[in-house]
Amino acid sequence: MSETEEREATYKMDLGQVFTNSIVAKYMASLFDLDKNDSILDPCFGDGAFLKACMYQGYNNISGYELDENLFNEVRTVYPTLNLFNKDFLSLNSDMKFDGVIMNPPYIRQEKIDDLKQYGVTKEILRKNRIYETLPKTANLYMYFILKAIELLKNNGQLVVIFPSSWLKTRSGKGFEKTLYSQCTMKQQIHVSGEVFEKEALVDVVILHLLKGKTSVVPQFRNLEIRSGELIDKKLLPVEKKDLNFSTDFSKYAQVRRGLTTGFNAMFINPGFKENVSKEKLVPIISSPKSIKGFSTETAEVDMLLSLSIDDKLNDEVNDYLTNWKESILEESSPKTLYEKIQQGSPWYTIKPIDSKGILFSYFVRNDMKFIDNEKGTLVRDNFYVIYPKIDKTLLFGLLNNYYTYFQLEKSGKKYGAGLLKLQRYDIEDLMFPDISLISQHDKEEICKLSEKLLFGNDISYIRKITSIISSYSTMSYEEITDQFTELKKHRLEGYTNGN
């Protein structure tokens, strides 16, 4: 699944709407410690899950805002006695104050915020408000919503909000966290996994219960999971990455980058040229992990990428092809990047290939993890990461394909529905390895031999044998890491297998 496809699957609507499961909504409303007549606000009520949950808890002084006119009309019909408004929450007067705010803010990446211009929302307009001065320019829209919600709270007012937990790992998240806790005190931080949202959407999220102002509250931390329609305590495995006792980080042995992003697959992938001279402008590219059998790209199925440079002489078929797409892009004003290049008179149809020779790893893991050798250097799309070794490639191949590495990735990846695990670049860069200077020459040679057998034999027993060798250089035994990894993987795949 490419980054573009991932966005389309996750953000179902242009307004970033991903609706909250009713079980989670009821739980969040129960976190409030307010009088039943206190004022509560839902800044983006969507399908009304929080409105219903708050009423279920006995609250009656409830207000809500929703930008989507269709949703607003539907919900207003169901709850005619509530104070509901079809307006932009971010433009509310700051003089309005509430005792509590509960919300699932819209999930819109920073580069997409300007697409809301028709609603009067752009990054430039938002940044003029002083309350957003400390936010990084890369801030997701939900960060703006949260800071606005805090502004509208009374002193000691309570905010209960659910949003992706990925911000806890990012650089922009550090700045956001500092701003957040300069204004609020954490009462509870609750990590939730499972079917948190309606339909298919992000499943690893965090619920924050915050008090506006500084108070002496001891924060509580919980881990919950939705299973079979119930919200239950999740027993976390006690082992963490640090318990492996590895001393060498990824950057000493390798570096990594994302595969090629075309920006417009419909045009660049498999253009279907008839003439041989046109086909000379095509280069093979691996699009999906499913097209790779085993641990090598040697027999991988490929698509064909239209790869043009500004100096290329184009025949009539290619020229006609580009002209038709250019007209379509200008008419639709999409995709935005190519549209802007055309408007600027830039060489909009060129793509700069990337060096793909190295070790590949999938952006999404669907079942089994595996690092794949791409000795041929076949170009790969952004469904993959390309790892460039700084040490012997065969040795690195073994250091990657074992349960110690798989365990770390299972721990750090973000779980999606249907058994999917999403790995970010920083998850790979956070990997730790044993110091190879402490590995005996005999063991290094054995790891390399097993790596070559895995490469050509596709027998996962070699992965277990590599793991066994590496266990001599970790404080966690072979049996322990095998059990830990197996349990993590089983937990990830549980919902998928139970539903099929």
Side-chain angles (χ1 to χ4, degrees), residues 30-49:
S30 74
L31 297 177
F32 278 135
D33 181 20
L34 300 170
D35 291 335
K36 298 306 180 184
N37 291 323
D38 282 348
S39 58
I40 293 178
L41 169 68
D42 182 347
C44 41
F45 59 72
D47 63 354

Side-chain angles (χ1 to χ4, degrees), residues 219-320:
Q220 297 180 351
F221 297 84
R222 297 187 69 187
N223 290 273
L224 303 177
E225 180 178 23
I226 297 180
R227 252 191 225 184
S228 302
E230 294 183 7
L231 199 58
I232 60 175
D233 277 304
K234 179 180 176 183
K235 294 181 180 179
L236 295 181
L237 293 170
V239 176
E240 299 296 335
K241 182 170 65 174
K242 60 180 175 25
D243 298 315
L244 303 180
N245 201 32
F246 289 160
S247 60
T248 306
D249 59 39
F250 177 88
S251 63
K252 187 171 182 179
Y253 294 161
Q255 60 187 45
V256 61
R257 66 157 294 162
R258 191 80 178 269
L260 179 70
T261 299
T262 70
F264 197 21
N265 293 333
M267 186 187 94
F268 287 104
I269 302 295
N270 297 329
F273 293 143
K274 304 296 183 183
E275 300 176 14
N276 288 333
V277 67
S278 303
K279 293 178 182 179
E280 292 175 1
K281 306 300 182 184
L282 306 179
V283 296
I285 186 168
I286 302 172
S287 295
S288 169
K290 292 181 180 179
S291 66
I292 301 174
K293 307 301 179 185
F295 290 79
S296 169
T297 62
E298 196 67 33
T299 60
E301 298 174 3
V302 297
D303 291 313
M304 299 306 293
L305 171 76
L306 178 59
S307 180
L308 300 173
S309 70
I310 192 171
D311 298 322
D312 280 342
K313 294 181 179 180
L314 308 179
N315 64 324
D316 290 343
E317 185 181 28
V318 175
N319 259 321
D320 291 344

Side-chain angles (χ1 to χ4, degrees), residues 18-32:
V18 184
F19 301 138
T20 313
N21 183 301
S22 60
I23 298 168
V24 176
K26 284 183 180 179
Y27 173 75
M28 289 174 63
S30 74
L31 297 177
F32 278 135

Side-chain angles (χ1 to χ4, degrees), residues 4-19:
T4 301
E5 292 166 337
E6 176 209 343
R7 288 190 197 132
E8 291 173 354
T10 304
Y11 307 125
K12 299 293 184 182
M13 301 184 182
D14 291 340
L15 297 180
Q17 298 155 325
V18 184
F19 301 138

